[in-house]
Coordinates of all heavy atoms in Angstrom, one line a residue:
T1 N 0.8 -1.2 0.0 CA 0.0 0.0 0.0 C 0.9 1.3 0.0 O 0.3 2.4 0.1 CB -0.9 0.0 1.2 OG1 -0.1 -0.1 2.4 CG2 -1.9 -1.2 1.2
A2 N 2.2 1.1 -0.1 CA 3.0 2.3 -0.2 C 4.1 2.1 -1.3 O 4.3 0.9 -1.8 CB 3.7 2.5 1.2
G3 N 4.7 3.2 -1.7 CA 5.6 3.1 -2.8 C 7.0 3.0 -2.3 O 7.3 2.5 -1.2
G4 N 8.0 3.6 -3.1 CA 9.4 3.6 -2.7 C 10.3 2.6 -3.5 O 11.4 2.5 -3.2
L5 N 9.7 1.8 -4.4 CA 10.5 0.9 -5.2 C 10.9 1.4 -6.6 O 10.3 2.3 -7.1 CB 9.7 -0.4 -5.4 CG 9.2 -1.1 -4.1 CD1 8.3 -2.3 -4.5 CD2 10.3 -1.6 -3.3
E6 N 11.9 0.9 -7.1 CA 12.3 1.3 -8.5 C 11.8 0.1 -9.4 O 12.3 -1.0 -9.4 CB 13.8 1.4 -8.6 CG 14.2 1.8 -10.1 CD 15.7 1.9 -10.3 OE1 16.4 0.8 -10.3 OE2 16.3 3.0 -10.4
V7 N 10.9 0.5 -10.2 CA 10.3 -0.5 -11.2 C 10.6 -0.1 -12.6 O 10.3 1.1 -13.0 CB 8.7 -0.6 -10.9 CG1 8.1 -1.5 -12.0 CG2 8.4 -1.1 -9.5
I8 N 11.1 -1.0 -13.4 CA 11.4 -0.7 -14.8 C 10.7 -1.8 -15.6 O 10.9 -3.0 -15.4 CB 13.0 -0.8 -15.0 CG1 13.6 0.4 -14.2 CG2 13.3 -0.6 -16.5 CD1 15.2 0.3 -14.3
F9 N 9.9 -1.3 -16.6 CA 9.3 -2.1 -17.6 C 10.1 -2.3 -18.8 O 10.9 -1.4 -19.1 CB 7.9 -1.6 -18.0 CG 6.8 -1.6 -16.9 CD1 6.7 -0.5 -16.0 CD2 6.0 -2.7 -16.7 CE1 5.7 -0.6 -15.0 CE2 5.0 -2.7 -15.8 CZ 4.9 -1.6 -14.9
A10 N 10.0 -3.5 -19.4 CA 10.7 -3.7 -20.6 C 9.9 -4.7 -21.5 O 9.1 -5.5 -21.0 CB 12.1 -4.3 -20.4
A11 N 10.1 -4.6 -22.8 CA 9.5 -5.5 -23.8 C 10.5 -6.4 -24.4 O 11.6 -6.1 -24.7 CB 8.8 -4.7 -24.8
S12 N 10.0 -7.7 -24.7 CA 10.9 -8.6 -25.3 C 11.2 -8.2 -26.8 O 10.4 -7.5 -27.4 CB 10.3 -10.0 -25.2 OG 9.1 -10.1 -25.9
S13 N 12.3 -8.8 -27.3 CA 12.6 -8.4 -28.7 C 12.9 -9.7 -29.5 O 13.0 -10.7 -28.9 CB 13.8 -7.4 -28.7 OG 14.9 -8.0 -28.1
G14 N 13.0 -9.5 -30.8 CA 13.3 -10.6 -31.7 C 12.9 -10.3 -33.1 O 12.2 -9.3 -33.4
V15 N 13.2 -11.1 -34.0 CA 12.9 -10.9 -35.4 C 11.3 -11.0 -35.6 O 10.7 -12.0 -35.1 CB 13.5 -12.0 -36.3 CG1 13.1 -11.8 -37.8 CG2 15.0 -11.9 -36.2
G16 N 10.7 -9.9 -36.1 CA 9.3 -9.9 -36.4 C 8.5 -9.6 -35.1 O 7.2 -9.6 -35.2
V17 N 9.1 -9.3 -34.0 CA 8.4 -9.1 -32.8 C 8.0 -7.6 -32.7 O 8.7 -6.7 -33.1 CB 9.2 -9.4 -31.5 CG1 8.5 -9.1 -30.3 CG2 9.5 -10.9 -31.6
S18 N 6.8 -7.3 -32.3 CA 6.3 -5.9 -32.1 C 7.2 -5.2 -31.2 O 7.8 -5.7 -30.3 CB 4.9 -5.9 -31.5 OG 3.9 -6.6 -32.2
T19 N 7.4 -3.9 -31.6 CA 8.2 -3.0 -30.7 C 7.4 -1.7 -30.3 O 6.4 -1.4 -31.0 CB 9.5 -2.6 -31.5 OG1 9.1 -1.8 -32.6 CG2 10.3 -3.7 -31.9
G20 N 7.9 -1.1 -29.3 CA 7.2 0.1 -28.8 C 8.1 0.8 -27.9 O 9.1 0.3 -27.4
A21 N 7.7 2.1 -27.6 CA 8.5 2.9 -26.7 C 7.9 2.9 -25.3 O 6.6 3.1 -25.2 CB 8.6 4.3 -27.2
I22 N 8.7 2.6 -24.3 CA 8.2 2.6 -22.9 C 8.6 3.9 -22.2 O 9.9 4.1 -22.1 CB 8.6 1.4 -22.2 CG1 8.1 0.1 -22.9 CG2 8.3 1.4 -20.7 CD1 8.6 -1.2 -22.3
T23 N 7.7 4.6 -21.7 CA 8.1 5.9 -21.0 C 7.1 6.1 -19.8 O 5.9 5.8 -20.0 CB 8.1 7.1 -21.9 OG1 6.8 7.2 -22.5 CG2 9.2 7.0 -22.9
P24 N 7.5 6.6 -18.7 CA 8.9 6.9 -18.4 C 9.6 5.7 -17.8 O 9.0 4.7 -17.5 CB 8.8 7.9 -17.2 CG 7.5 7.5 -16.6 CD 6.6 7.1 -17.6
I25 N 10.9 5.8 -17.8 CA 11.8 4.7 -17.2 C 12.7 5.4 -16.2 O 13.4 6.3 -16.5 CB 12.7 4.0 -18.2 CG1 11.8 3.3 -19.3 CG2 13.6 3.1 -17.6 CD1 12.6 2.6 -20.4
P26 N 12.6 5.0 -14.9 CA 11.7 4.0 -14.2 C 10.3 4.5 -14.3 O 10.0 5.6 -14.6 CB 12.2 4.0 -12.8 CG 13.6 4.6 -12.8 CD 13.6 5.6 -13.9
A27 N 9.4 3.5 -14.0 CA 8.0 3.8 -14.1 C 7.6 4.8 -13.0 O 8.3 5.0 -12.0 CB 7.2 2.5 -13.8
T28 N 6.4 5.3 -13.2 CA 5.9 6.3 -12.2 C 5.4 5.5 -10.9 O 4.7 4.6 -11.0 CB 4.6 7.0 -12.8 OG1 5.1 7.8 -14.0 CG2 4.0 8.0 -11.8
D29 N 5.9 6.0 -9.8 CA 5.5 5.5 -8.5 C 4.2 6.2 -8.0 O 4.3 7.4 -7.8 CB 6.6 5.7 -7.5 CG 6.3 5.1 -6.1 OD1 5.2 4.8 -5.8 OD2 7.3 5.1 -5.3
N30 N 3.1 5.4 -8.0 CA 1.9 6.0 -7.6 C 1.7 6.2 -6.1 O 0.6 6.7 -5.7 CB 0.7 5.2 -8.2 CG 0.8 5.2 -9.7 OD1 0.9 6.2 -10.4 ND2 0.6 4.0 -10.3
G31 N 2.6 5.7 -5.4 CA 2.6 5.9 -3.9 C 1.7 5.0 -3.2 O 1.5 5.1 -1.9
D32 N 1.0 4.0 -3.9 CA 0.1 3.2 -3.2 C 0.4 1.7 -3.5 O -0.5 0.9 -3.3 CB -1.3 3.5 -3.7 CG -1.5 3.3 -5.3 OD1 -0.5 3.0 -5.9 OD2 -2.6 3.5 -5.8
G33 N 1.6 1.4 -3.9 CA 2.0 0.1 -4.2 C 1.8 -0.3 -5.6 O 2.1 -1.5 -6.0
T34 N 1.4 0.6 -6.5 CA 1.3 0.4 -7.9 C 2.3 1.3 -8.6 O 2.6 2.4 -8.1 CB -0.1 0.6 -8.4 OG1 -0.5 2.0 -8.3 CG2 -1.1 -0.2 -7.6
Y35 N 2.7 0.8 -9.8 CA 3.7 1.6 -10.6 C 3.2 1.5 -12.1 O 2.7 0.4 -12.5 CB 5.1 1.0 -10.5 CG 5.6 1.0 -9.1 CD1 5.1 0.0 -8.1 CD2 6.4 2.0 -8.6 CE1 5.6 0.1 -6.8 CE2 6.9 2.0 -7.3 CZ 6.4 1.1 -6.4 OH 6.8 1.2 -5.1
S36 N 3.2 2.6 -12.8 CA 2.7 2.6 -14.2 C 3.6 3.3 -15.2 O 4.4 4.2 -14.8 CB 1.3 3.2 -14.2 OG 1.3 4.5 -13.7
T37 N 3.4 3.0 -16.4 CA 4.1 3.7 -17.5 C 3.3 3.4 -18.7 O 2.3 2.8 -18.7 CB 5.6 3.1 -17.6 OG1 6.3 3.9 -18.5 CG2 5.5 1.6 -18.2
T38 N 3.7 4.0 -19.9 CA 3.0 3.9 -21.1 C 3.8 3.1 -22.1 O 5.1 3.2 -22.1 CB 2.6 5.2 -21.8 OG1 3.8 6.0 -22.0 CG2 1.6 5.9 -20.8
F39 N 3.1 2.3 -23.0 CA 3.8 1.6 -24.1 C 3.2 2.2 -25.4 O 2.0 2.0 -25.6 CB 3.5 0.1 -24.0 CG 4.0 -0.7 -25.1 CD1 5.3 -1.3 -25.1 CD2 3.3 -0.9 -26.3 CE1 5.8 -2.0 -26.1 CE2 3.7 -1.7 -27.3 CZ 5.0 -2.2 -27.3
T40 N 4.0 2.8 -26.2 CA 3.5 3.4 -27.5 C 4.0 2.6 -28.6 O 5.2 2.3 -28.8 CB 4.0 4.8 -27.6 OG1 3.6 5.6 -26.5 CG2 3.5 5.5 -28.9
G41 N 3.0 2.0 -29.4 CA 3.3 1.1 -30.5 C 4.2 1.8 -31.6 O 4.0 2.9 -32.0
E42 N 5.3 1.1 -32.0 CA 6.1 1.6 -33.1 C 6.2 0.7 -34.3 O 6.0 1.2 -35.4 CB 7.6 1.8 -32.5 CG 7.7 2.9 -31.4 CD 9.1 3.0 -30.9 OE1 9.9 2.1 -31.0 OE2 9.4 4.2 -30.4
T43 N 6.4 -0.6 -34.1 CA 6.6 -1.5 -35.2 C 5.6 -2.6 -35.0 O 5.6 -3.3 -34.0 CB 8.0 -2.0 -35.3 OG1 8.9 -0.9 -35.4 CG2 8.1 -2.9 -36.5
A44 N 4.8 -2.9 -36.1 CA 3.8 -4.0 -36.0 C 4.6 -5.3 -36.1 O 5.6 -5.4 -36.7 CB 2.8 -3.9 -37.1
G45 N 4.0 -6.3 -35.5 CA 4.6 -7.7 -35.5 C 4.0 -8.6 -34.6 O 2.8 -8.4 -34.2
T46 N 4.6 -9.7 -34.3 CA 4.1 -10.7 -33.3 C 4.1 -10.2 -31.9 O 4.8 -9.2 -31.6 CB 4.8 -12.0 -33.4 OG1 6.2 -11.7 -33.1 CG2 4.8 -12.6 -34.8

């Protein structure tokens, strides 16, 4: 129920795999035990 952690999101990669931009890094600490960020699509794929 409290924040204070460093959380970093990442997406897997590979040939033909979808890609996107993750921001911000580290993720936003919402102060309630949850952390969030955005994934913006860049390359279509699996």
Side-chain angles (χ1 to χ4, degrees):
T1 57
L5 303 173
E6 182 183 70
V7 173
I8 297 176
F9 290 90
S12 63
S13 61
V15 178
V17 176
S18 298
T19 64
I22 295 176
T23 56
I25 297 177
T28 299
D29 181 347
N30 299 312
D32 59 359
T34 67
Y35 301 79
S36 57
T37 191
T38 59
F39 177 92
T40 303
E42 292 182 335
T43 305
T46 58

